Amino acid sequence: MTHVAPAERSTRSPAQVETITVSRYASLKGVAVTIVNLAVFFLLWELIARAGLINELFFPRASEMFAAMYNGFADGTILPEIWHSLSNFLIGLAISIVIGIPVGLLMGASRVADLILSPYVWAMASLPRVALIPLLILIMGFDNSMQLTIIVLSAVFPIMVNCMAGVKTVDPSLLRAGRVFGTSRVQTYSKIIFPFTLPFVISGVNQGIARGLVGMLIGELLGGGGSGLGFLLDRAGDQFDAPMLYAVLILLAVMSVGLIQSMRWLEQRAAPWRDTLRT
Amino acid sequence: MVHVGSHETDRPAKEHANTAGSTLIEVAEVNAGYDNQRERTRLIALRDISLKVTQGEFLAIVGPSGCGKTTLINMIAGFVKPLSGVVKVRGVPVDGPGADRAMVFQDYALLPWRTVERNVEFAIENRRGHVPKPERRARIANALQLVGLAGFEKSYPHELSGGMRQRVGIARALVGEPEILLMDEPFGAVDAMTREAMQAELEKIIAETRQTVVFITHSIDEAITLGDRIVVVSSRPGTIREIIDIDLPRPRFDERNDIKRSARFGEIRSHLWKLLSDEALGAKWGSVARQEGETA
Ligand SMILES: Nc1ncnc2c1ncn2[C@@H]1O[C@H](COP(=O)(O)OP(=O)(O)OP(=O)(O)O)[C@@H](O)[C@H]1O
Ligand SMILES: [Mg+2]
């Protein structure tokens, strides 16, 4: 019987790894497709509106929408409102993250904390956010803090619940490996539980963003604060200014997509080991 | 039937053991089981297990699937507490895992966010003063060389085949040179040729380091080629059916002399085969009734 040294058998050999060429235009292709796609969309929009099939009062031409958007930016009615909404939203999200992650981790790690907090967390996570508006107005009036509060209340619970789920689903055999190889309590958290939970945290923040945007709009539409994209939307509606209405909607869509896509990008950076799930 | 030695568990050390050793691991009258809170039942996984492992010994454990082998090795590792009885290492009752014992897990248990080399490093970075930092690189490279994974240091577990992942788990257990190696089907996912090469490698390492090994396997041949003794566990609930001395000379992996062709190997093999096929049939026909009897 002959033995082949294992080291020789399965060492990565030059023959196994080949260099491959990736087209330089591969990433541009996706961008090009999107541009063409959008161009066709707006063109169709323009044509359908021009055909006059739908009442112009609530279906303006794409060109009118763009004109309204351009004018809004030019005369300074849009930009401050975008800034107001975006900064409100980002502050609210930051507060939600700072509160949501530790509390979620605590609920996942401690049975007692979970037992005490979970009825409230689940109740708040499930309650439709709009229901809170009258109470918040009662407490805080039409102040900006009311708008911030609704964003935080919208975003914080999905973050919390996801963090908790992450900690609770840590693979028990990884915890065993930790014990065998001598992790201290702190190391168990820093080397096993946190890395395992990270993707959950990120998807929690993703949901938090989606819900937070809704919260932001509700606050601005119903809160009567007189600023923000929601306010622009409300005013355009009141004034039967359909082009402006559509322009704000498009801006909101761009903002949401931008936020969610940047989280996606972060998610892929933060958890490269989840590669297989993507491809 | 050929005679194959079958002995009491507390039999004195045998002359062919690596070191004529004192008892290192002692399992005394242990019962183990798992509680099912929902159904308010307790599954008895192991019943009345007594067993001693001497210093430097290679103990192989075989038995049908679900008979409690992993439970037994987990008790020695310190994850699972016996319902009654005691597990001692060097005379001290086991109370959780320790630096003297490393384990190869049946399900690999690799950290998916760490590369191969960082996974191996995990074994020597947590305990203070375990392995000094400058020494780690060389130790890791050596361990990966041993399991044939040189060149894959920067790969992530998900980029490896099942057998390769398993070998990362083996390198991780070896790198700290623990006194006791607990291996739960370490070569289960490895192909036959690599498996044999790794068995030879393991024998060589053990001869050098004189580590004590508890080794679970489903392969009769593997148990005979590697073990000083083989514990045959019968199932539902797991009890020790027989402990067999393997009095084959070492080294067992010898190019000129294939141990598997020897008459003695054949005798032990057919004896084990018979024991285990009895077990398999018994498990098939008797399991349902016995299982119901055991859960109370
Ligand atoms: N965590 C657990 N909770 C409940 N029951 C368990 C648990 N782990 C094992 N068991 C039960 O204990 C018995 C023994 O399991 P164990 O994993 O020790 O078997 P094994 O001999 O290692 O099997 P295999 O060869 O398939 O790995 C089985 O009947 C199994 O269902
Ligand atoms: Mg097992």
Side-chain angles (χ1 to χ4, degrees):
Chain A
M1 184 171 63
T2 51
H3 295 292
V4 196
E8 281 157 25
R9 290 192 68 250
S10 30
T11 297
R12 175 176 272 173
S13 62
Q16 201 183 352
V17 183
E18 286 180 0
T19 348
I20 54 168
T21 47
V22 180
S23 167
R24 217 180 320 161
Y25 305 109
S27 58
L28 286 181
K29 207 167 127 192
V31 177
V33 168
T34 307
I35 289 173
V36 171
N37 189 0
L38 287 176
V40 170
F41 172 78
F42 285 115
L43 202 68
L44 279 177
W45 175 352
E46 182 76 20
L47 290 177
I48 292 171
R50 272 174 194 268
L53 299 174
I54 307 167
N55 190 341
E56 217 173 301
L57 209 56
F58 39 82
F59 194 68
R61 299 172 189 172
S63 53
E64 288 174 329
M65 184 277 293
F66 279 117
M69 197 187 288
Y70 176 82
N71 289 333
F73 274 109
D75 65 15
T77 45
I78 289 184
L79 211 54
E81 307 307 337
I82 289 186
W83 175 241
H84 172 89
S85 290
L86 197 63
S87 65
N88 246 0
F89 175 76
L90 291 178
I91 294 169
L93 186 66
I95 296 174
S96 305
I97 288 173
V98 168
I99 297 173
I101 291 178
V103 174
L105 292 176
L106 182 72
M107 284 176 70
S110 147
R111 236 191 149 69
V112 179
D114 184 21
L115 274 174
I116 295 173
L117 294 177
S118 63
Y120 309 105
V121 169
W122 284 110
M124 287 302 294
S126 327
L127 186 71
R129 228 58 29 181
V130 204
L132 295 171
I133 292 279
L135 180 65
L136 291 177
I137 292 179
L138 199 65
I139 298 171
M140 287 178 269
F142 298 107
D143 202 31
N144 191 37
S145 62
M146 188 289 258
Q147 293 185 13
L148 252 180
T149 310
I150 197 84
I151 294 172
V152 173
L153 284 177
S154 303
V156 77
F157 295 105
I159 297 176
M160 229 178 246
V161 168
N162 273 280
C163 285
M164 180 182 73
V167 176
K168 283 196 171 167
T169 53
V170 171
D171 185 354
S173 69
L174 295 185
L175 293 174
R176 284 182 169 177
R179 293 180 63 196
V180 163
F181 297 112
T183 51
S184 64
R185 211 181 155 74
V186 174
Q187 285 168 331
T188 305
Y189 274 90
S190 67
K191 294 183 180 183
I192 299 173
I193 295 176
F194 288 153
F196 188 93
T197 309
L198 191 60
F200 289 81
V201 174
I202 291 174
S203 74
V205 172
N206 265 335
Q207 291 174 24
I209 288 177
R211 301 264 221 113
L213 283 168
V214 177
M216 180 191 86
L217 276 178
I218 296 175
E220 290 171 356
L221 282 171
L222 307 179
S227 48
L229 286 173
F231 164 72
L232 274 187
L233 215 51
D234 199 25
R235 196 178 59 182
D238 285 349
Q239 298 173 346
F240 298 101
D241 186 357
M244 189 58 169
L245 201 67
Y246 278 81
V248 177
L249 282 178
I250 298 274
L251 287 174
L252 272 170
V254 169
M255 183 173 146
S256 324
V257 169
L259 282 164
I260 291 188
Q261 286 300 324
S262 50
M263 278 312 287
R264 283 236 178 110
W265 180 84
L266 196 69
E267 190 171 13
Q268 291 170 1
R269 287 302 126 119
W273 69 91
R274 292 173 110 215
D275 252 7
T276 38
L277 304 180
R278 271 189 286 132
T279 47
Chain B
M1 187 61 221
V2 224
H3 171 78
V4 177
S6 155
H7 306 272
E8 290 301 317
T9 50
D10 53 352
R11 187 178 169 280
K14 316 146 304 290
E15 33 57 330
H16 62 264
N18 286 343
T19 39
S22 49
T23 301
L24 184 61
I25 304 169
E26 182 180 1
V27 179
E29 288 160 23
V30 157
N31 290 299
Y34 298 95
D35 290 350
N36 184 331
Q37 306 287 352
R38 193 163 27 89
E39 289 170 19
R40 304 196 182 183
T41 54
R42 171 176 286 171
L43 178 90
I44 304 296
L46 290 170
R47 172 155 291 173
D48 202 21
I49 302 285
S50 290
L51 168 75
K52 282 180 180 174
V53 188
T54 53
Q55 183 111 38
E57 186 179 20
F58 196 117
L59 186 81
I61 300 175
V62 296
S65 187
C67 72
K69 303 181 296 295
T70 299
T71 307
L72 178 59
I73 212 167
N74 277 349
M75 277 194 300
I76 301 173
F79 307 134
V80 176
K81 298 238 176 310
L83 294 172
S84 66
V86 66
V87 178
K88 291 179 185 170
V89 172
R90 224 172 291 94
V92 184
V94 167
D95 181 34
D100 54 349
R101 284 156 285 153
M103 182 146 171
V104 179
F105 292 87
Q106 188 171 7
D107 57 357
Y108 322 149
L110 302 177
L111 304 177
W113 50 86
R114 283 194 175 207
T115 58
V116 166
E117 60 179 356
R118 296 273 295 130
N119 259 293
V120 176
E121 190 173 12
F122 187 64
I124 49 177
E125 68 180 20
N126 296 317
R127 295 189 174 94
R128 203 181 306 220
H130 191 177
V131 177
K133 236 186 175 143
E135 211 183 295
R136 285 186 202 160
R137 293 277 130 241
R139 291 270 290 262
I140 294 164
N142 187 34
L144 286 175
Q145 187 76 32
L146 283 177
V147 298
L149 285 178
F152 290 93
E153 290 84 357
K154 306 282 183 218
S155 304
Y156 284 92
H158 72 81
E159 297 169 324
L160 304 179
S161 71
M164 289 161 86
R165 283 178 219 179
Q166 199 160 37
R167 284 183 276 158
V168 178
I170 296 169
R172 181 175 66 176
L174 290 175
V175 74
E177 289 183 7
E179 196 175 351
I180 300 170
L181 265 176
L182 304 171
M183 308 179 92
D184 194 351
E185 293 182 36
F187 304 143
V190 174
D191 69 276
M193 288 309 295
T194 309
R195 187 173 186 146
E196 202 150 288
M198 301 224 16
Q199 290 168 356
E201 203 59 51
L202 183 63
E203 184 182 51
K204 225 162 61 191
I205 295 169
I206 302 305
E208 222 168 90
T209 59
R210 318 211 147 202
Q211 280 158 298
T212 306
V213 185
V214 179
F215 188 103
I216 296 174
T217 176
H218 274 137
S219 155
I220 293 179
D221 282 14
E222 182 166 84
I224 307 173
T225 32
L226 288 172
D228 292 317
R229 281 191 300 159
I230 299 178
V231 176
V232 182
V233 183
S234 66
S235 57
R236 295 170 205 279
T239 46
I240 295 184
R241 173 87 186 261
E242 193 168 324
I243 298 183
I244 300 166
D245 266 333
I246 310 298
D247 44 8
L248 295 165
R250 285 191 188 273
R252 307 256 172 90
F253 290 89
D254 183 349
E255 253 118 282
R256 283 148 308 178
N257 179 18
D258 189 349
I259 200 96
K260 285 189 183 152
R261 297 237 173 90
S262 75
R264 187 68 189 138
F265 190 98
E267 283 170 22
I268 300 170
R269 187 171 197 264
S270 56
H271 179 70
L272 265 171
W273 190 263
K274 179 156 188 331
L275 275 178
L276 286 168
S277 54
D278 282 358
E279 269 312 315
L281 289 177
K284 209 170 182 179
W285 303 119
S287 66
V288 183
R290 261 185 281 170
Q291 181 98 338
E292 277 169 1
E294 295 311 331
T295 53

